Amino acid sequence: MTVGQVIRSHSNIFYVLTDGEIVECRPRGRFRLDRQEVLTGDLVEVHREKNEGRIDKVLPRRTCLQRPAVANVDQALVVFTLKEPEADFQFLDRVLIHAEQAGVRAIILLNKVDLVEPEVVAAFCHAYGEQVGFDVLPISAKQEIGLEELWPRLVGKVSVLAGHSGVGKSRLVRALEPARDDVRVGELSEKLGRGKHTTRHVELVPLTRGGLLADTPGFTYLEFEGMEKQQVPKLFREFTPYAAECRFSDCMHRKEPDCAVRDAVEAGQIPRTRYESYLVFLGEIEAMKRW
Ligand code: GDP
Ligand code: ZN
């Protein structure tokens, strides 16, 4: 018995990466009876029979994303730009919050730094890096800036790209793997557009220097369905130390008196864009509850 990771599937055949080798596996009969699903990214116990294998067990999932469905993603590479396209902070925060909620670590790749002034890059890194606490990496996929800093973060991890169309996800993948045309990142909509039966599933591609990358962007479905509004302040990690100082322990940081979070926004200690996103998301969750 060996443990491997499912990197792609086709019909009921699962391709499992184990000891650097890809083995074609079928789930054992019971799976169908139990209606248990095997997902890309799943860690599985495999019983080898010559060149094939049988999946006996799916190990507990550390994380599980939907649309595309992929298990055990370690980190989201959230590609963001300040120019071309214009910065969309609300979208960025939406992705970051969903990653946080899914238990997936987010790395912000500030792409196209060749198009903006260094001061603007530094201000962004200060806000989302130092103040909020994310790992922010300024890069240029086009000019191949920052890639050597990115590589060590990819090795040994399962990563999924996220971000608006046009921010440079495809270009980044080409910059990381210039010699390979099997590593691509497509748009989810294109794949799902062909109808249920021909849908190609998400695939994890082994990268040259190590690590696995999903070939389909993640975090494309960003509704706050099922979220309670009390959860939201906790997902804005930089609020936490200030929230402890609010007059009310259940402060929602809106109109309450003596709100230390609002004070921190006014004092420039919490980026205003984050606070604005927070208010929008809270409003959306409340609107959903009213139905
Ligand atoms: P995707 O939709 O996120 O996959 O974005 P693409 O990879 O297709 O990139 C969109 C456009 O931005 C293309 O014309 C790229 O050449 C361009 N682009 C990507 N990265 C950079 C960069 O670092 N600097 C500049 N100036 N342009 C870039
Ligand atoms: Zn407060």
Side-chain angles (χ1 to χ4, degrees), residues 79 81 84-85 111-115 139-144 163-172 174 185 187:
V79 185
T81 56
E84 298 181 27
N111 191 31
K112 309 201 187 183
V113 292
D114 53 301
L115 299 179
I139 64 165
S140 169
K142 190 174 175 180
Q143 303 204 340
E144 301 184 15
H164 263 319
S165 102
V167 292
K169 298 183 293 298
S170 314
R171 182 88 188 227
L172 171 63
R174 270 191 289 139
V185 48
E187 291 296 333

PDB file of all heavy atoms in Angstrom, residues 79 81 84-85 111-115 139-144 163-172 174 185 187, ligand 1:
ATOM      1  N   VAL A  79      -3.517  36.733  -8.091  1.00  0.00           N
ATOM      2  CA  VAL A  79      -2.846  37.685  -8.985  1.00  0.00           C
ATOM      3  C   VAL A  79      -3.674  38.968  -9.025  1.00  0.00           C
ATOM      4  O   VAL A  79      -4.890  38.930  -9.225  1.00  0.00           O
ATOM      5  CB  VAL A  79      -2.652  37.093 -10.399  1.00  0.00           C
ATOM      6  CG1 VAL A  79      -1.856  38.054 -11.276  1.00  0.00           C
ATOM      7  CG2 VAL A  79      -1.949  35.735 -10.327  1.00  0.00           C
ATOM      8  N   THR A  81      -3.548  43.403  -9.984  1.00  0.00           N
ATOM      9  CA  THR A  81      -2.835  44.487 -10.669  1.00  0.00           C
ATOM     10  C   THR A  81      -3.357  45.837 -10.196  1.00  0.00           C
ATOM     11  O   THR A  81      -4.509  45.953  -9.769  1.00  0.00           O
ATOM     12  CB  THR A  81      -3.040  44.426 -12.207  1.00  0.00           C
ATOM     13  OG1 THR A  81      -4.446  44.442 -12.492  1.00  0.00           O
ATOM     14  CG2 THR A  81      -2.415  43.184 -12.813  1.00  0.00           C
ATOM     15  N   GLU A  84      -4.104  48.192 -15.628  1.00  0.00           N
ATOM     16  CA  GLU A  84      -4.340  47.259 -16.751  1.00  0.00           C
ATOM     17  C   GLU A  84      -4.549  45.816 -16.334  1.00  0.00           C
ATOM     18  O   GLU A  84      -3.667  44.978 -16.583  1.00  0.00           O
ATOM     19  CB  GLU A  84      -3.196  47.370 -17.784  1.00  0.00           C
ATOM     20  CG  GLU A  84      -3.097  48.736 -18.411  1.00  0.00           C
ATOM     21  CD  GLU A  84      -1.970  48.805 -19.449  1.00  0.00           C
ATOM     22  OE1 GLU A  84      -1.614  47.761 -20.038  1.00  0.00           O
ATOM     23  OE2 GLU A  84      -1.463  49.905 -19.674  1.00  0.00           O
ATOM     24  N   PRO A  85      -5.614  45.440 -15.755  1.00  0.00           N
ATOM     25  CA  PRO A  85      -6.750  46.283 -15.368  1.00  0.00           C
ATOM     26  C   PRO A  85      -6.520  47.063 -14.067  1.00  0.00           C
ATOM     27  O   PRO A  85      -5.705  46.687 -13.242  1.00  0.00           O
ATOM     28  CB  PRO A  85      -7.886  45.277 -15.187  1.00  0.00           C
ATOM     29  CG  PRO A  85      -7.222  43.987 -14.868  1.00  0.00           C
ATOM     30  CD  PRO A  85      -5.904  44.012 -15.570  1.00  0.00           C
ATOM     31  N   ASN A 111       1.086  41.808  -9.804  1.00  0.00           N
ATOM     32  CA  ASN A 111       1.683  41.668 -11.138  1.00  0.00           C
ATOM     33  C   ASN A 111       1.697  43.014 -11.889  1.00  0.00           C
ATOM     34  O   ASN A 111       1.048  43.960 -11.480  1.00  0.00           O
ATOM     35  CB  ASN A 111       0.899  40.617 -11.938  1.00  0.00           C
ATOM     36  CG  ASN A 111       1.609  40.227 -13.227  1.00  0.00           C
ATOM     37  OD1 ASN A 111       2.844  40.243 -13.303  1.00  0.00           O
ATOM     38  ND2 ASN A 111       0.854  39.874 -14.260  1.00  0.00           N
ATOM     39  N   LYS A 112       2.450  43.029 -12.957  1.00  0.00           N
ATOM     40  CA  LYS A 112       2.586  44.206 -13.835  1.00  0.00           C
ATOM     41  C   LYS A 112       3.223  45.385 -13.096  1.00  0.00           C
ATOM     42  O   LYS A 112       2.845  46.539 -13.323  1.00  0.00           O
ATOM     43  CB  LYS A 112       1.231  44.612 -14.442  1.00  0.00           C
ATOM     44  CG  LYS A 112       0.491  43.439 -15.096  1.00  0.00           C
ATOM     45  CD  LYS A 112      -0.544  43.881 -16.094  1.00  0.00           C
ATOM     46  CE  LYS A 112      -1.364  42.681 -16.573  1.00  0.00           C
ATOM     47  NZ  LYS A 112      -2.351  43.006 -17.606  1.00  0.00           N
ATOM     48  N   VAL A 113       4.171  45.085 -12.217  1.00  0.00           N
ATOM     49  CA  VAL A 113       4.840  46.183 -11.503  1.00  0.00           C
ATOM     50  C   VAL A 113       5.678  47.022 -12.466  1.00  0.00           C
ATOM     51  O   VAL A 113       6.097  48.130 -12.122  1.00  0.00           O
ATOM     52  CB  VAL A 113       5.709  45.697 -10.317  1.00  0.00           C
ATOM     53  CG1 VAL A 113       4.840  45.129  -9.206  1.00  0.00           C
ATOM     54  CG2 VAL A 113       6.764  44.700 -10.755  1.00  0.00           C
ATOM     55  N   ASP A 114       5.901  46.516 -13.674  1.00  0.00           N
ATOM     56  CA  ASP A 114       6.611  47.309 -14.686  1.00  0.00           C
ATOM     57  C   ASP A 114       5.772  48.499 -15.158  1.00  0.00           C
ATOM     58  O   ASP A 114       6.299  49.414 -15.776  1.00  0.00           O
ATOM     59  CB  ASP A 114       6.980  46.419 -15.885  1.00  0.00           C
ATOM     60  CG  ASP A 114       5.781  45.676 -16.459  1.00  0.00           C
ATOM     61  OD1 ASP A 114       5.148  44.907 -15.703  1.00  0.00           O
ATOM     62  OD2 ASP A 114       5.460  45.871 -17.646  1.00  0.00           O
ATOM     63  N   LEU A 115       4.473  48.483 -14.847  1.00  0.00           N
ATOM     64  CA  LEU A 115       3.594  49.563 -15.332  1.00  0.00           C
ATOM     65  C   LEU A 115       3.340  50.655 -14.306  1.00  0.00           C
ATOM     66  O   LEU A 115       2.709  51.658 -14.617  1.00  0.00           O
ATOM     67  CB  LEU A 115       2.242  48.979 -15.764  1.00  0.00           C
ATOM     68  CG  LEU A 115       2.233  47.949 -16.894  1.00  0.00           C
ATOM     69  CD1 LEU A 115       0.802  47.478 -17.163  1.00  0.00           C
ATOM     70  CD2 LEU A 115       2.845  48.534 -18.165  1.00  0.00           C
ATOM     71  N   ILE A 139       5.620  41.321  -8.721  1.00  0.00           N
ATOM     72  CA  ILE A 139       6.186  40.567  -9.838  1.00  0.00           C
ATOM     73  C   ILE A 139       5.854  41.238 -11.175  1.00  0.00           C
ATOM     74  O   ILE A 139       4.997  42.124 -11.248  1.00  0.00           O
ATOM     75  CB  ILE A 139       5.671  39.096  -9.896  1.00  0.00           C
ATOM     76  CG1 ILE A 139       4.166  39.060 -10.165  1.00  0.00           C
ATOM     77  CG2 ILE A 139       5.988  38.331  -8.630  1.00  0.00           C
ATOM     78  CD1 ILE A 139       3.654  37.684 -10.600  1.00  0.00           C
ATOM     79  N   SER A 140       6.569  40.833 -12.184  1.00  0.00           N
ATOM     80  CA  SER A 140       6.153  41.154 -13.543  1.00  0.00           C
ATOM     81  C   SER A 140       6.338  39.887 -14.359  1.00  0.00           C
ATOM     82  O   SER A 140       7.461  39.428 -14.560  1.00  0.00           O
ATOM     83  CB  SER A 140       6.989  42.281 -14.134  1.00  0.00           C
ATOM     84  OG  SER A 140       6.716  42.369 -15.533  1.00  0.00           O
ATOM     85  N   ALA A 141       5.223  39.326 -14.781  1.00  0.00           N
ATOM     86  CA  ALA A 141       5.290  38.105 -15.585  1.00  0.00           C
ATOM     87  C   ALA A 141       5.964  38.421 -16.914  1.00  0.00           C
ATOM     88  O   ALA A 141       6.743  37.633 -17.436  1.00  0.00           O
ATOM     89  CB  ALA A 141       3.882  37.554 -15.815  1.00  0.00           C
ATOM     90  N   LYS A 142       5.693  39.629 -17.406  1.00  0.00           N
ATOM     91  CA  LYS A 142       6.230  40.024 -18.707  1.00  0.00           C
ATOM     92  C   LYS A 142       7.732  40.240 -18.652  1.00  0.00           C
ATOM     93  O   LYS A 142       8.469  39.767 -19.509  1.00  0.00           O
ATOM     94  CB  LYS A 142       5.529  41.304 -19.163  1.00  0.00           C
ATOM     95  CG  LYS A 142       5.816  41.693 -20.583  1.00  0.00           C
ATOM     96  CD  LYS A 142       4.959  42.880 -20.968  1.00  0.00           C
ATOM     97  CE  LYS A 142       5.289  43.389 -22.349  1.00  0.00           C
ATOM     98  NZ  LYS A 142       4.429  44.549 -22.673  1.00  0.00           N
ATOM     99  N   GLN A 143       8.202  40.935 -17.630  1.00  0.00           N
ATOM    100  CA  GLN A 143       9.629  41.231 -17.532  1.00  0.00           C
ATOM    101  C   GLN A 143      10.366  40.244 -16.627  1.00  0.00           C
ATOM    102  O   GLN A 143      11.533  40.463 -16.303  1.00  0.00           O
ATOM    103  CB  GLN A 143       9.823  42.663 -17.045  1.00  0.00           C
ATOM    104  CG  GLN A 143       9.118  43.637 -17.963  1.00  0.00           C
ATOM    105  CD  GLN A 143       9.696  45.029 -17.915  1.00  0.00           C
ATOM    106  OE1 GLN A 143      10.380  45.395 -16.953  1.00  0.00           O
ATOM    107  NE2 GLN A 143       9.423  45.806 -18.935  1.00  0.00           N
ATOM    108  N   GLU A 144       9.662  39.219 -16.224  1.00  0.00           N
ATOM    109  CA  GLU A 144      10.245  38.152 -15.396  1.00  0.00           C
ATOM    110  C   GLU A 144      10.914  38.699 -14.130  1.00  0.00           C
ATOM    111  O   GLU A 144      12.045  38.357 -13.797  1.00  0.00           O
ATOM    112  CB  GLU A 144      11.207  37.304 -16.232  1.00  0.00           C
ATOM    113  CG  GLU A 144      10.474  36.693 -17.418  1.00  0.00           C
ATOM    114  CD  GLU A 144      11.335  35.760 -18.253  1.00  0.00           C
ATOM    115  OE1 GLU A 144      12.407  35.363 -17.778  1.00  0.00           O
ATOM    116  OE2 GLU A 144      10.902  35.438 -19.373  1.00  0.00           O
ATOM    117  N   GLY A 163      -7.839  35.317  -9.563  1.00  0.00           N
ATOM    118  CA  GLY A 163      -7.751  36.714  -9.997  1.00  0.00           C
ATOM    119  C   GLY A 163      -8.547  36.953 -11.256  1.00  0.00           C
ATOM    120  O   GLY A 163      -8.783  36.039 -12.039  1.00  0.00           O
ATOM    121  N   HIS A 164      -8.931  38.208 -11.418  1.00  0.00           N
ATOM    122  CA  HIS A 164      -9.690  38.668 -12.581  1.00  0.00           C
ATOM    123  C   HIS A 164      -9.053  38.237 -13.890  1.00  0.00           C
ATOM    124  O   HIS A 164      -7.834  38.053 -13.942  1.00  0.00           O
ATOM    125  CB  HIS A 164      -9.637  40.206 -12.610  1.00  0.00           C
ATOM    126  CG  HIS A 164     -10.834  40.846 -11.999  1.00  0.00           C
ATOM    127  ND1 HIS A 164     -12.097  40.377 -12.189  1.00  0.00           N
ATOM    128  CD2 HIS A 164     -10.954  41.954 -11.229  1.00  0.00           C
ATOM    129  CE1 HIS A 164     -12.945  41.164 -11.546  1.00  0.00           C
ATOM    130  NE2 HIS A 164     -12.282  42.117 -10.940  1.00  0.00           N
ATOM    131  N   SER A 165      -9.831  38.185 -14.921  1.00  0.00           N
ATOM    132  CA  SER A 165      -9.236  37.914 -16.216  1.00  0.00           C
ATOM    133  C   SER A 165      -8.444  39.152 -16.646  1.00  0.00           C
ATOM    134  O   SER A 165      -8.796  40.286 -16.303  1.00  0.00           O
ATOM    135  CB  SER A 165     -10.316  37.498 -17.221  1.00  0.00           C
ATOM    136  OG  SER A 165     -10.645  38.541 -18.055  1.00  0.00           O
ATOM    137  N   GLY A 166      -7.325  38.923 -17.287  1.00  0.00           N
ATOM    138  CA  GLY A 166      -6.486  40.027 -17.747  1.00  0.00           C
ATOM    139  C   GLY A 166      -5.369  40.435 -16.800  1.00  0.00           C
ATOM    140  O   GLY A 166      -4.533  41.260 -17.144  1.00  0.00           O
ATOM    141  N   VAL A 167      -5.355  39.857 -15.589  1.00  0.00           N
ATOM    142  CA  VAL A 167      -4.320  40.251 -14.626  1.00  0.00           C
ATOM    143  C   VAL A 167      -2.968  39.581 -14.910  1.00  0.00           C
ATOM    144  O   VAL A 167      -1.945  39.986 -14.355  1.00  0.00           O
ATOM    145  CB  VAL A 167      -4.735  39.980 -13.153  1.00  0.00           C
ATOM    146  CG1 VAL A 167      -5.885  40.897 -12.736  1.00  0.00           C
ATOM    147  CG2 VAL A 167      -5.081  38.524 -12.929  1.00  0.00           C
ATOM    148  N   GLY A 168      -2.985  38.557 -15.753  1.00  0.00           N
ATOM    149  CA  GLY A 168      -1.714  37.948 -16.155  1.00  0.00           C
ATOM    150  C   GLY A 168      -1.463  36.529 -15.661  1.00  0.00           C
ATOM    151  O   GLY A 168      -0.312  36.099 -15.600  1.00  0.00           O
ATOM    152  N   LYS A 169      -2.520  35.797 -15.365  1.00  0.00           N
ATOM    153  CA  LYS A 169      -2.350  34.435 -14.848  1.00  0.00           C
ATOM    154  C   LYS A 169      -1.664  33.524 -15.879  1.00  0.00           C
ATOM    155  O   LYS A 169      -0.721  32.805 -15.560  1.00  0.00           O
ATOM    156  CB  LYS A 169      -3.715  33.842 -14.441  1.00  0.00           C
ATOM    157  CG  LYS A 169      -4.412  34.610 -13.323  1.00  0.00           C
ATOM    158  CD  LYS A 169      -5.710  33.964 -12.900  1.00  0.00           C
ATOM    159  CE  LYS A 169      -6.796  34.002 -13.968  1.00  0.00           C
ATOM    160  NZ  LYS A 169      -7.209  35.379 -14.352  1.00  0.00           N
ATOM    161  N   SER A 170      -2.151  33.596 -17.118  1.00  0.00           N
ATOM    162  CA  SER A 170      -1.580  32.734 -18.169  1.00  0.00           C
ATOM    163  C   SER A 170      -0.135  33.114 -18.460  1.00  0.00           C
ATOM    164  O   SER A 170       0.735  32.259 -18.604  1.00  0.00           O
ATOM    165  CB  SER A 170      -2.378  32.842 -19.462  1.00  0.00           C
ATOM    166  OG  SER A 170      -3.734  32.762 -19.194  1.00  0.00           O
ATOM    167  N   ARG A 171       0.074  34.402 -18.512  1.00  0.00           N
ATOM    168  CA  ARG A 171       1.421  34.893 -18.802  1.00  0.00           C
ATOM    169  C   ARG A 171       2.396  34.460 -17.707  1.00  0.00           C
ATOM    170  O   ARG A 171       3.546  34.118 -17.984  1.00  0.00           O
ATOM    171  CB  ARG A 171       1.359  36.429 -18.902  1.00  0.00           C
ATOM    172  CG  ARG A 171       2.657  37.088 -19.241  1.00  0.00           C
ATOM    173  CD  ARG A 171       2.846  37.169 -20.742  1.00  0.00           C
ATOM    174  NE  ARG A 171       4.176  37.624 -21.079  1.00  0.00           N
ATOM    175  CZ  ARG A 171       4.439  38.564 -21.973  1.00  0.00           C
ATOM    176  NH1 ARG A 171       3.464  39.143 -22.628  1.00  0.00           N
ATOM    177  NH2 ARG A 171       5.671  38.906 -22.238  1.00  0.00           N
ATOM    178  N   LEU A 172       1.934  34.491 -16.483  1.00  0.00           N
ATOM    179  CA  LEU A 172       2.768  34.074 -15.358  1.00  0.00           C
ATOM    180  C   LEU A 172       3.158  32.603 -15.499  1.00  0.00           C
ATOM    181  O   LEU A 172       4.325  32.238 -15.307  1.00  0.00           O
ATOM    182  CB  LEU A 172       2.022  34.305 -14.035  1.00  0.00           C
ATOM    183  CG  LEU A 172       2.695  33.718 -12.784  1.00  0.00           C
ATOM    184  CD1 LEU A 172       4.046  34.374 -12.537  1.00  0.00           C
ATOM    185  CD2 LEU A 172       1.796  33.876 -11.561  1.00  0.00           C
ATOM    186  N   ARG A 174       3.350  30.889 -18.190  1.00  0.00           N
ATOM    187  CA  ARG A 174       4.312  30.760 -19.293  1.00  0.00           C
ATOM    188  C   ARG A 174       5.698  31.236 -18.868  1.00  0.00           C
ATOM    189  O   ARG A 174       6.718  30.683 -19.288  1.00  0.00           O
ATOM    190  CB  ARG A 174       3.830  31.542 -20.520  1.00  0.00           C
ATOM    191  CG  ARG A 174       2.969  30.665 -21.435  1.00  0.00           C
ATOM    192  CD  ARG A 174       2.738  31.357 -22.755  1.00  0.00           C
ATOM    193  NE  ARG A 174       1.832  32.482 -22.585  1.00  0.00           N
ATOM    194  CZ  ARG A 174       1.981  33.666 -23.169  1.00  0.00           C
ATOM    195  NH1 ARG A 174       3.003  33.893 -23.969  1.00  0.00           N
ATOM    196  NH2 ARG A 174       1.106  34.624 -22.959  1.00  0.00           N
ATOM    197  N   VAL A 185      -3.129  27.541 -17.936  1.00  0.00           N
ATOM    198  CA  VAL A 185      -4.239  27.788 -17.033  1.00  0.00           C
ATOM    199  C   VAL A 185      -5.376  28.374 -17.857  1.00  0.00           C
ATOM    200  O   VAL A 185      -5.254  29.414 -18.466  1.00  0.00           O
ATOM    201  CB  VAL A 185      -3.840  28.654 -15.821  1.00  0.00           C
ATOM    202  CG1 VAL A 185      -3.064  29.866 -16.229  1.00  0.00           C
ATOM    203  CG2 VAL A 185      -5.036  29.028 -14.996  1.00  0.00           C
ATOM    204  N   GLU A 187      -9.626  29.222 -18.524  1.00  0.00           N
ATOM    205  CA  GLU A 187     -10.734  29.823 -17.797  1.00  0.00           C
ATOM    206  C   GLU A 187     -11.779  28.759 -17.526  1.00  0.00           C
ATOM    207  O   GLU A 187     -12.085  27.940 -18.376  1.00  0.00           O
ATOM    208  CB  GLU A 187     -11.348  30.978 -18.592  1.00  0.00           C
ATOM    209  CG  GLU A 187     -10.456  32.193 -18.699  1.00  0.00           C
ATOM    210  CD  GLU A 187     -10.182  32.853 -17.345  1.00  0.00           C
ATOM    211  OE1 GLU A 187     -11.017  32.738 -16.434  1.00  0.00           O
ATOM    212  OE2 GLU A 187      -9.122  33.491 -17.220  1.00  0.00           O
TER     213      GLU A 187
HETATM  214  P1  GDP B   1      -5.203  36.190 -17.553  1.00  0.00           P
HETATM  215  O1  GDP B   1      -6.564  36.486 -18.126  1.00  0.00           O
HETATM  216  O2  GDP B   1      -5.175  36.480 -16.088  1.00  0.00           O
HETATM  217  O3  GDP B   1      -4.696  34.822 -17.875  1.00  0.00           O
HETATM  218  O4  GDP B   1      -4.208  37.270 -18.214  1.00  0.00           O
HETATM  219  P2  GDP B   1      -3.130  37.075 -19.389  1.00  0.00           P
HETATM  220  O5  GDP B   1      -2.006  36.233 -18.936  1.00  0.00           O
HETATM  221  O6  GDP B   1      -3.850  36.655 -20.615  1.00  0.00           O
HETATM  222  O7  GDP B   1      -2.571  38.560 -19.539  1.00  0.00           O
HETATM  223  C1  GDP B   1      -3.377  39.636 -19.969  1.00  0.00           C
HETATM  224  C2  GDP B   1      -2.489  40.656 -20.671  1.00  0.00           C
HETATM  225  O8  GDP B   1      -1.598  41.246 -19.739  1.00  0.00           O
HETATM  226  C3  GDP B   1      -1.619  40.060 -21.768  1.00  0.00           C
HETATM  227  O9  GDP B   1      -1.583  40.961 -22.836  1.00  0.00           O
HETATM  228  C4  GDP B   1      -0.271  39.934 -21.096  1.00  0.00           C
HETATM  229  O10 GDP B   1       0.810  39.964 -22.010  1.00  0.00           O
HETATM  230  C5  GDP B   1      -0.258  41.157 -20.206  1.00  0.00           C
HETATM  231  N1  GDP B   1       0.647  40.990 -19.053  1.00  0.00           N
HETATM  232  C6  GDP B   1       0.732  39.916 -18.231  1.00  0.00           C
HETATM  233  N2  GDP B   1       1.675  40.113 -17.276  1.00  0.00           N
HETATM  234  C7  GDP B   1       2.185  41.333 -17.501  1.00  0.00           C
HETATM  235  C8  GDP B   1       3.197  42.120 -16.838  1.00  0.00           C
HETATM  236  O11 GDP B   1       3.832  41.724 -15.862  1.00  0.00           O
HETATM  237  N3  GDP B   1       3.427  43.368 -17.347  1.00  0.00           N
HETATM  238  C9  GDP B   1       2.759  43.847 -18.423  1.00  0.00           C
HETATM  239  N4  GDP B   1       3.057  45.068 -18.827  1.00  0.00           N
HETATM  240  N5  GDP B   1       1.821  43.147 -19.073  1.00  0.00           N
HETATM  241  C10 GDP B   1       1.537  41.897 -18.616  1.00  0.00           C
END
